[in-house]
Amino acid sequence: MAVVASAPGKVLITGGYLILERPNAGIVLSTNARFYAIVKPLYEQVKPDSWSWGWTDVKLTSPQLLRESMYKLSLKNLTLQAVSLSESRNPFVEYAVQYAVAAAYAIFDKNKKDALHKLLLQGLDITILGCNDFYSYRNQIEARGLPLTPEALAALPPFASITFNADESNGGNCKPEVAKTGLGSSAAMTTAVVAALLHYLGVVNLSSSIDQQHDGDLDMVHMIAQSAHCIAQGKIGSGFDVSSAVYGSQRYVRFSPEVLSSAQVAVKETPLQEVITGILKGKWDHERAMFSLPPLMTLLLGEPGTGGSSTPSMVGAVKKWQKSDPQKSQETWKKLSESNSALETQLNMLSKLAEEHWNAYKQVIESCSKLKSEKQLQLELQFQL
């Protein structure tokens, strides 16, 4: 039986850089662009002598990148070993697989572990697919002579293949051109893979509706996905992208880095099952509260055409600036925090107005949608008065 799970991308509308430091909050919106993970058995039947095997097969397929990789998963120490050469490995999926399987071993009793062992011996066949919005298809659209509009992007087939670099398209060493749009593809992909695997292995049950899902199941997905994503990145980020991939739009305050720093060190010399046990018992002190844009408001994003920026390098540049001028950086941080809080207050106020005075709110929004930006501001001020 195949399991399909998906997770949304993200847009951080307030809290950029500040969200790295507690107790600064950020508002993050989940997008309609989603990453999908499909997990199914690699083999229909388990061979009679397979119980003596100390490993199983894992196949990872990414149709959009025209890649297929094969691994051996050790059933003793739960490490992955690549057996097929690939130009580019995917550490996010690799850690997602290891951490999800380790979570199952960590929480199951002996009977469930026997069933888990049998299931794993059938191998894991994992396919990952990301909505087109996660990538730039600018070259493909222009090659078709189409305008750079949302309609032209929507005309592309779902999960379209990523274009190849023009200068290498005729060579035998082609590399897919992966120009990202900054919607948190790695976090959404990691979360989707973790969710699909945890459900497939019987650790969580995500088949019910959102309203009926047990909070503990989503919390389990969050802890494992957050951990795998941080370890794959090689650093402990704020985690807002994974949190929104699991829970949706929210007001977010990061967890204390210490909850994962010990695991980051221990993973090199401690059995993975013990690492996961420590993570699941850790003090996850992040804060999240439901948030959504006011009614009748939609966030539209545009692609500048230069590809995504490197978050680690930009964060490094900001931290370097903070150290070089601590006084000015603290003043700037304070002003930004105050502005972020003011925007959050205004958005919440609009939501409240919509709830209490819907007809008037709707009329103002519809009027604003036909005006230029400076006229919208004047009308909003009149409405508040």
Side-chain angles (χ1 to χ4, degrees):
M1 180 185 73
V3 170
V4 181
S6 71
K10 54 73 185 174
V11 177
L12 185 67
I13 62 173
T14 71
Y17 299 109
L18 277 76
I19 202 172
L20 289 166
E21 303 171 7
R22 290 173 56 87
N24 295 320
I27 295 176
V28 54
L29 302 179
S30 58
T31 68
N32 56 355
R34 304 183 74 88
F35 234 98
Y36 295 81
I38 306 167
V39 177
K40 60 183 179 181
L42 188 57
Y43 309 115
E44 292 186 5
Q45 295 182 343
V46 179
K47 295 181 180 180
D49 62 341
S50 64
W51 282 95
S52 62
W53 297 352
W55 48 266
T56 191
D57 295 324
V58 177
K59 183 172 80 169
L60 171 62
T61 306
S62 178
Q64 288 166 288
L65 295 177
L66 305 178
R67 289 177 185 164
E68 181 179 293
S69 301
M70 288 296 299
Y71 298 89
K72 292 290 187 182
L73 173 66
S74 168
L75 298 180
K76 180 179 180 180
N77 54 26
L78 307 181
T79 56
L80 275 178
Q81 180 180 353
V83 295
S84 64
L85 295 178
S86 175
E87 290 187 21
S88 179
R89 296 178 66 172
N90 191 326
F92 295 99
V93 175
E94 292 177 7
Y95 279 107
V97 171
Q98 294 177 84
Y99 277 44
V101 173
Y105 274 103
I107 67 172
F108 282 171
D109 59 23
K110 184 181 184 304
N111 290 334
K112 286 188 175 181
K113 283 181 180 178
D114 289 341
L116 172 64
H117 189 78
K118 183 177 180 180
L119 181 61
L120 288 174
L121 287 174
Q122 290 184 260
L124 295 172
D125 187 346
I126 304 170
T127 301
I128 54 174
L129 296 162
C131 287
N132 292 346
D133 290 341
F134 283 108
Y135 305 106
S136 172
Y137 291 91
R138 187 185 189 94
N139 293 343
Q140 289 193 31
I141 293 173
E142 290 180 334
R144 296 184 180 192
L146 299 175
L148 296 173
T149 62
E151 292 75 20
L153 178 63
L156 294 175
F159 312 119
S161 296
I162 296 173
T163 55
F164 285 86
N165 295 325
D167 58 344
E168 297 183 4
S169 59
N170 295 323
N173 234 352
C174 291
K175 292 183 179 180
E177 178 188 279
V178 186
K180 298 182 180 180
T181 54
L183 296 183
S185 57
S186 63
M189 175 178 61
T190 302
T191 302
V193 172
V194 167
L197 279 169
L198 290 179
H199 184 91
Y200 176 77
L201 299 175
V203 178
V204 300
N205 182 8
L206 304 176
S207 59
S208 56
S209 66
I210 294 177
D211 294 335
Q212 295 176 330
Q213 284 177 358
H214 192 276
D215 288 343
D217 287 341
L218 290 180
D219 292 342
M220 172 67 76
V221 173
H222 175 255
M223 287 185 287
I224 299 303
Q226 197 74 263
S227 306
H229 190 255
C230 284
I231 299 300
Q233 285 187 125
K235 66 181 183 65
I236 301 176
S238 66
F240 75 88
D241 44 6
V242 173
S243 186
S244 62
V246 175
Y247 302 106
S249 301
Q250 60 192 268
R251 180 186 188 273
Y252 177 83
V253 176
R254 70 159 303 155
F255 54 86
S256 297
E258 291 75 20
V259 75
L260 283 179
S261 58
S262 58
Q264 199 171 27
V265 175
V267 73
K268 299 177 181 179
E269 51 190 38
T270 305
L272 188 54
Q273 187 173 326
E274 294 182 22
V275 173
I276 294 299
T277 300
I279 289 173
L280 297 178
K281 292 181 178 179
K283 183 181 179 182
W284 289 84
D285 53 358
H286 56 287
E287 301 172 21
R288 58 181 176 86
M290 291 183 62
F291 182 87
S292 62
L293 287 177
L296 305 181
M297 289 190 180
T298 302
L299 180 66
L300 297 179
L301 303 175
E303 191 230 311
T306 56
S309 57
S310 171
T311 300
S313 63
M314 294 183 70
V315 169
V318 170
K319 289 186 175 296
K320 182 179 179 180
W321 164 71
Q322 286 180 297
K323 291 182 179 179
S324 66
D325 195 344
Q327 182 176 351
K328 187 175 182 179
S329 63
Q330 287 180 8
E331 293 174 357
T332 302
W333 249 223
K334 182 179 179 182
K335 290 179 181 178
L336 284 173
S337 181
E338 291 172 351
S339 297
N340 290 340
S341 297
L343 176 58
E344 181 182 348
T345 299
Q346 293 296 315
L347 292 173
N348 286 331
M349 182 194 70
L350 288 173
S351 295
K352 185 176 181 181
L353 288 171
E355 183 179 349
E356 297 177 351
H357 307 284
W358 172 248
N359 291 332
Y361 174 86
K362 181 181 178 182
Q363 182 179 359
V364 171
I365 294 296
E366 290 177 346
S367 298
C368 285
S369 67
K370 302 173 184 177
L371 299 175
K372 294 184 178 180
S373 57
E374 61 270 15
K375 293 295 183 181
Q376 291 180 10
L377 181 58
Q378 293 177 11
L379 193 58
E380 182 182 344
L381 291 174
Q382 292 175 8
F383 181 64
Q384 291 180 25
L385 295 175

